[in-house]
Amino acid sequence: MNTVYIGIGTNIDRHKHIEAGLRELEQLGGNLTASTIYECDAVGFESQSFFNLVAKLDTLLSLDELATNLREIEIRWGRPCNAEKNQPRTLDLDILMFGDLVSEKPTLPRDDIYKFAFVIQPLFEMSPDLVIPGTTQTVKQVWQTKQSLLTQELTKVEPWFDINN
């Protein structure tokens, strides 16, 4: 059993796709928990703002199986197969950490942890004492170090459904 952290984002029909993404993740393992949902501006392109959060899940799936399932979920919920970076998204599901695995392809832990407030803030909220695989740093230490560098505004979104149930 691996504990995985998955970044979830959407800026198209945001309420529908956040809820759908979490419901789909429930089918891939157990003990699903979700962070606060945050609204923030699109990064790298002009578009409607995003809703972002992080989900934590225990799964028996292998990394390849999980990645395949996440891609199928994204496509099922309207993401084009040929979607490029810096485009609006119906649903974006990114593996941030997969147990203690350190990998180059895919890059794990995902470097978004160090780049984006909408990733490190929810991780800090969920698991501040978690040591990031391949490092000696906890999520809290990364959050403290990066907090002043990450200027992106995050606004908490009041949940419209019971996220952790």
Side-chain angles (χ1 to χ4, degrees):
M1 180 86 54
N2 285 299
T3 299
V4 298
Y5 291 83
I6 300 169
I8 304 171
T10 176
N11 73 337
I12 298 173
D13 204 355
R14 300 175 304 177
H15 289 86
K16 171 183 164 183
H17 290 115
I18 289 294
E19 194 168 348
L22 286 168
R23 298 295 175 234
E24 292 273 6
L25 290 178
E26 286 179 321
Q27 306 307 308
L28 302 181
N31 301 318
L32 177 72
T33 57
S35 72
T36 299
I37 300 168
Y38 292 95
E39 182 174 22
C40 61
D41 291 338
V43 176
F45 65 107
E46 292 294 320
S47 186
Q48 180 178 347
S49 61
F50 275 78
F51 280 0
N52 290 284
L53 70 148
V54 171
K56 178 180 172 184
L57 174 72
D58 294 329
T59 186
L60 292 172
L61 296 174
S62 70
L63 176 59
D64 288 341
E65 291 169 330
L66 179 63
T68 297
N69 275 276
L70 296 182
R71 181 78 173 135
E72 289 170 356
I73 292 167
E74 289 174 337
I75 291 167
R76 186 166 41 253
W77 287 96
R79 181 170 176 170
C81 293
N82 59 349
E84 297 178 15
K85 283 194 158 291
N86 298 331
Q87 289 183 325
R89 297 273 189 256
T90 52
L91 191 57
D92 191 20
L93 302 171
D94 295 321
I95 302 169
L96 303 172
M97 289 183 275
F98 186 90
D100 291 331
L101 183 64
V102 176
S103 168
E104 288 184 25
K105 190 164 184 170
T107 302
L108 290 174
R110 192 174 176 97
D111 60 0
D112 290 357
I113 294 168
Y114 304 96
K115 293 180 182 177
F116 301 114
F118 62 80
V119 175
I120 193 61
Q121 178 65 39
L123 277 174
F124 169 71
E125 174 188 313
M126 294 181 80
S127 300
D129 297 323
L130 175 69
V131 175
I132 297 173
T135 76
T136 58
Q137 289 185 301
T138 64
V139 168
K140 181 178 182 178
Q141 289 169 324
V142 171
W143 179 82
Q144 289 171 330
T145 304
K146 297 294 182 180
Q147 193 174 9
S148 63
L149 302 174
L150 301 173
T151 58
Q152 188 174 33
E153 287 272 330
L154 299 180
T155 304
K156 287 185 178 184
V157 175
E158 288 300 317
W160 57 94
F161 68 106
D162 188 358
I163 291 175
N164 291 308
N165 187 8

